[in-house]
Amino acid sequence: MIEFVAENLAPIMFVSLIVFLLLGYPVAFSLAANGLLFFIIGVELAPLSELHQSFLATAERTAGTVLGGSCRTTRFSPSPSSPSWA
């Protein structure tokens, strides 16, 4: 069940915003409360999402390239046939 919530967080967030609005709360308060609530949920569920793992790999590759001039922080080793700039 938790994996389902982690992978479908955006539609659940949209439905909960509609529920907040239908309950009669003002738009600004509904958006703020919904954003804070799902920020906390998203931070707690982030390690369960497949997108999180690919984002971490991309962030590590970018940080390694920008900070060190090479891809030494990546999890992937370049193949011998790949060009040195790849």
Side-chain angles (χ1 to χ4, degrees):
M1 177 70 179
I2 291 182
E3 289 84 12
F4 175 78
V5 172
E7 293 297 324
N8 296 306
L9 201 58
I12 294 170
M13 185 177 183
F14 179 74
V15 170
S16 69
L17 177 63
I18 298 300
V19 169
F20 275 129
L21 291 172
L22 289 175
L23 287 174
Y25 292 106
V27 173
F29 293 139
S30 297
L31 286 171
N34 203 31
L36 290 174
L37 175 72
F38 278 92
F39 169 74
I40 294 169
I41 292 172
V43 167
E44 293 299 322
L45 294 179
L48 300 176
S49 175
E50 292 175 12
L51 181 63
H52 182 263
Q53 299 303 323
S54 64
F55 176 72
L56 281 180
T58 304
E60 288 176 358
R61 173 187 263 170
T62 303
T65 302
V66 170
L67 297 176
S70 66
C71 293
R72 62 177 187 247
T73 60
T74 61
R75 296 181 190 172
F76 311 107
S77 60
S79 64
S81 63
S82 68
S84 61
W85 52 266

